[in-house]
């Protein structure tokens, strides 16, 4: 079965940094663009970032652009999200998700409901 395991969440002060990791098994990693989606209590799911197979396409939401960096290590079947200059409004459960695609690039960031597989999530809490 597909397994997507996030790690790296935690409590951090505003202005600090965290790096999230998501290791994937049970699917052909090269067939999927990978994304990070977050959800805070009472809010809709928000696509934060996504990256195509070889990084030809990278997208960020306006709310995190310039602060977050998505990357992937295909040899390790792992996707990362480096989060800098964290703000209290970044507090949310962060999920990694896989989007099936056969092309090397993406026209846009997938909407949350378009992702095919999801991890369990990792909590990020930013104080202040």
């Amino acid at each position: 079965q597909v397994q997507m395991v996030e790690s790296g969440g935690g409590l951090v002060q505003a202005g600090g940094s965290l790096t999230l990791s998501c290791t994937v098994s049970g699917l052909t990693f090269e067939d999927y663009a990978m994304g990070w989606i977050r959800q805070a209590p009472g809010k809709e799911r928000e696509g934060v970032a996504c990256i195509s197979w070889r990084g030809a396409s990278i997208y960020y939401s306006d709310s995190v652009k310039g602060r977050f960096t998505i990357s992937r290590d295909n040899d390790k079947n792992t996707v990362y999200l480096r989060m800098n200059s964290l703000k209290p409004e970044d507090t949310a459960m962060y999920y990694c998700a896989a989007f099936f695609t056969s092309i090397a690039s993406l026209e846009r960031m997938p909407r949350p409901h378009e992702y095919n597989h999801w991890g369990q999530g990792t909590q990020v809490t930013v104080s202040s």
Side-chain angles (χ1 to χ4, degrees), residues 73-101:
D73 185 337
N74 293 329
D75 291 334
K76 297 180 178 179
N77 284 13
T78 299
V79 61
Y80 305 93
L81 185 68
R82 177 65 176 175
M83 304 183 293
N84 295 322
S85 301
L86 282 162
K87 305 174 181 179
E89 51 263 44
D90 295 317
T91 296
M93 184 72 74
Y94 283 72
Y95 302 89
C96 69
F99 174 73
F100 181 81
T101 179

Side-chain angles (χ1 to χ4, degrees), residues 39-50:
Q39 186 169 30
K43 296 183 179 179
E44 298 294 323
R45 288 176 172 175
E46 176 190 16
V48 173
C50 69

Side-chain angles (χ1 to χ4, degrees), residues 37 45-47 97 110-116 118:
I37 300 93
R45 288 176 172 175
E46 176 190 16
R111 289 167 290 186
H113 74 269
E114 294 178 310
Y115 285 93
N116 303 101
W118 292 75

Side-chain angles (χ1 to χ4, degrees), residues 112-125:
H113 74 269
E114 294 178 310
Y115 285 93
N116 303 101
H117 303 284
W118 292 75
Q120 296 295 310
T122 185
Q123 178 68 39
V124 173
T125 302

Side-chain angles (χ1 to χ4, degrees), residues 41-63:
K43 296 183 179 179
E44 298 294 323
R45 288 176 172 175
E46 176 190 16
V48 173
C50 69
I51 184 169
S52 60
W53 165 238
R54 295 193 181 278
S57 300
I58 297 177
Y59 297 97
Y60 299 98
S61 67
D62 290 340
S63 61

